[in-house]
Amino acid sequence: GNMAAAAAAGREESPLGLEAVVEEAAAAAAASAGFRLTAVRREPAVRLQHGASGLEPLAWSEDHRVSVSTARSIAVLEQLSDVHSGGQDMVIHRTAVPAPAAACMLKVGPKKEVAECKEKFASSVDPTVSQTFMLDRVFNPEGKSLPPMRGFKYSSWSPLGCDANGRCLLAALTMDNRLSIHANLNRLQWVQLVDLTELYGERLLEAGYRLCKADAPCGELGDFPEFQRRHSMQAPVRMEWSGICTTQQVKHNNECRDVGSVLLAVLFENGNIAVWQFQLPFLGKESITSCNTIESGISSPSVLSWWEYEHNNRKMSGLIVGSAYGPVKIIPVNLKAVKGYFTLRQPVVLWQEMDQLPVHSIKCIPLYHPYQKCSCSLVVAARGPYVFWCLLLISKAGLNVHNSHVTGLHSLPIVSMTADKQNGTVYTCSSDGKVRQLIPIFTDVALKFEHQLIKLSEVFGCVRTHGIAVSPCGAYLAVITTEGMANGLHPVNKNYQVQFVTLKTFEEAAAQLLESSVQNLFRQVDLTDLVRWKILKDKHIPQFLQEALDKKIESCGSTYFWRFKLFLLRILYQSMQKAPSEVTWRPSHEDAKILISDSPGMGSTEDDQEEGTSKQASKQSLGDTGKGVDIDDTAEDSLHQSSDSGGREPMVEKLLEIQAQIEAVEMHLTREHMKRVLGEVYLHTWITENTSIPTRGVCDFLMSDDGYDDRTARVLIGHILKKMNKQTFPEHCSLCKEILPFTDRKQAVCSNGHIWLRCFLTYQSCQSLVYRRCLLHDSIARHPTPEDPEWIKRLLQGPCTFCDSPVF
């Protein structure tokens, strides 16, 4: 590791004669270390409308959204792994959380009294009072003589599963100290759910600005130190979310039910920490269960992180706080009503020197110690240009703490640090476009870091960097860049962009997907995107991946591998499409009967016209018909592109073959899910009443194919039909009251030709105007109704059975 570092350092500023030798040494060292990162640029780069603001302006959520704090809003870029587009660029859906129009005034007392005090301090003859007051942005957010405080200081993503759709919430802190929580519930706009600064101010006002009853009564607002104290006890510095924990709630009939909850810790300027507890899903003010304030005793606190540690099935938790003067310590957090949580008896000091190196960023990574055979926590903190690390593990002797610094990484202070939680790799970056990758390697006692340099100038040209974030599974690094110096001159104006770099090869991404412990494609979008890119470029699925996947499908019953196979086939299908030379959003002319040979997707052939509507509806779930060109229609059109050479035949054959494979895999997934639904029906219907699930139809559909022989399905259906006796409970068309037969898994057509799409979670026909769609427009689902029993509501919370994405 040191050799590689020395070589890398040598390569940066080596006299010409040494260069070749150093290159060779570096190559040898890299080969011995067994890694070399090749960072490749990934299009597109996203231009920001305003400059980045605040500390660590970039964050990447577990549900694949990148938030960028800017001077006017938080830009949110959501990465999708779109199976319906053949473009090789990343698919990014863009939204924004606007900054509030009005400045935030902290509640320090009655309005009239506050105004009088401000007037008094501003005109004070004592310059230490008047100047301190005038120049303090907490007292004067809208500035008067200073420019107004606009934009965001910090943003933080909750874990997956906190909002009403089971996705991440965004906590946002503005420059003028307003802390609020936002959710994106309908794909387009963000909604503010709660303003925590206001609520906390009200709590303090009620408590007379004392933390507990025993405190001495507070002084007069007219005293400048008291005025300062009341502001600093409610001006947030940073906020961080805990993992999801379970609490017990006692219902009216004394039954206990488990409720998920999440904690948000808010660090204030005076060193206090407020720990808010929210019940999940978080809907707003009514979801707040409690708020406790802890005194950390740290002066000039700068940064915060949760410490969550599992030891012998006991969960430990605490908060790691860093100071602008250098010290880092863990503060105990006592969690009332949270099952199985313990905490430290007293604070643990990780670094105590007041050495004036400010702690800029802290990451806490849970790892497994291969030599000690136990779980441990790696705490990494950026302090100036150095990385401070600390390894914590609990043994019979108590808590062991090893710490040290990694030096010689950067010549400038670290502006941003991010970590891949899955393998503990840490990335640091300074403003000169140099990123370091640090890989922790365990030694028998503690650990050491292998590190290497990623020069962004080799990927993007000369740039300045303002922040980095690594994607949830470690496939990409997002970087905020502006132009660097050209010919020794600074750029005249700055263009802020978010750019993406690959951190993994296609082979690594594929292997990680095959060995995945989460078994959910949506949660690994960054990895599937790398795979998608490769297949679209090469127009085939690599042999090794196909073989490994087929082996997995044979050896294990998980439908995850079938969904992975479906994903690969759909991308392959896209890669074979001839790109439409016409713009796809232009309306096609109804009268254009003749097919223009070089533009697939335009016009329509005679036979298409006759059964146009039913075809359009039946293919709705395969491709988003709203996109103008339907997936299947493009396929059919490419069949008509006659080239006299006869070269089209194999292509047509190939497309039809892939289409047949896609159909087969979708059918398999549908049947597996049908069995799950029928299992639920069997478990939960004591009498044979109709539970809004077309049970008889699903049973008949499963048994209708002679080629399908599944013993468990046969047995299950036998039990259900016995229970149902001869009752059928058919579904009826709400327009003409005719019976809706169950002949197709995607739609129901009554004898009068009315067409209803089927909910893919319950197989019921969706006969209302409103229904939900999965993120990739694969399938639709109905909304739960108040009269639905619990188990149906649970089924309806499931993700898409084809692509694992959540349903809106």
Side-chain angles (χ1 to χ4, degrees), residues 261 305 324 560 619:
S261 68
S305 177
Y560 163 72
K619 301 298 191 233

Side-chain angles (χ1 to χ4, degrees), residues 2-20:
N2 294 349
M3 186 175 170
R11 192 164 49 177
E12 277 170 29
E13 313 102 354
S14 60
L16 288 175
L18 276 174
E19 213 149 61

Side-chain angles (χ1 to χ4, degrees), residues 376-560:
C376 58
S377 295
L378 172 62
V379 176
V380 211
R383 302 178 69 242
Y386 312 123
V387 169
F388 165 75
W389 64 265
C390 183
L391 188 69
L392 301 154
L393 60 118
I394 295 173
S395 65
K396 292 189 178 70
L399 182 68
N400 296 333
V401 181
H402 297 274
N403 64 16
S404 179
H405 280 79
V406 187
T407 58
L409 296 172
H410 295 277
S411 48
L412 290 170
I414 293 169
V415 292
S416 186
M417 179 171 76
T418 179
D420 178 352
K421 288 276 166 73
Q422 294 192 327
N423 57 14
T425 307
V426 176
Y427 298 87
T428 58
C429 112
S430 51
S431 60
D432 54 5
K434 293 191 174 123
V435 175
R436 285 270 179 192
Q437 180 192 43
L438 289 91
I439 298 177
I441 290 166
F442 284 97
T443 58
D444 41 0
V445 200
L447 51 75
K448 59 177 187 179
F449 284 97
E450 293 283 2
H451 52 85
Q452 63 171 325
L453 181 69
I454 306 170
K455 270 192 178 165
L456 293 178
S457 56
E458 290 170 8
V459 187
F460 303 127
C462 181
V463 288
R464 288 184 73 84
T465 38
H466 304 270
I468 55 172
V470 68
S471 65
C473 302
Y476 290 117
L477 188 72
V479 195
I480 301 179
T481 61
T482 50
E483 294 86 347
M485 289 172 73
N487 306 326
L489 297 172
H490 288 286
V492 181
N493 37 14
K494 282 185 182 176
N495 291 306
Y496 284 84
Q497 338 190 43
V498 178
Q499 310 216 47
F500 298 92
V501 177
T502 62
L503 295 175
K504 289 192 152 93
T505 61
F506 159 74
E507 289 75 15
E508 288 170 313
Q512 204 170 323
L513 283 164
L514 286 169
E515 298 306 322
S516 157
S517 57
V518 294
Q519 303 228 331
N520 179 307
L521 292 173
F522 171 70
R523 299 205 24 201
Q524 307 176 81
V525 162
D526 49 338
L527 297 172
T528 59
D529 186 72
L530 270 181
V531 172
R532 173 179 162 269
W533 190 26
K534 170 84 171 169
I535 294 172
L536 287 173
K537 272 195 301 200
D538 298 357
K539 299 197 185 319
H540 76 98
I541 301 169
Q543 197 62 38
F544 87 89
L545 179 54
Q546 233 162 353
E547 285 167 7
L549 191 53
D550 290 342
K551 208 175 260 165
K552 286 272 186 198
I553 285 175
E554 273 166 47
S555 65
C556 115
S558 166
T559 53
Y560 163 72

Side-chain angles (χ1 to χ4, degrees), residues 685-691 720 722-725 727 729:
T685 48
W686 310 124
I687 45 171
T688 52
E689 94 280 36
N690 184 12
T691 59
I720 285 176
K722 201 150 79 202
K723 209 176 194 182
M724 282 182 78
N725 212 339
Q727 290 157 300
F729 300 120

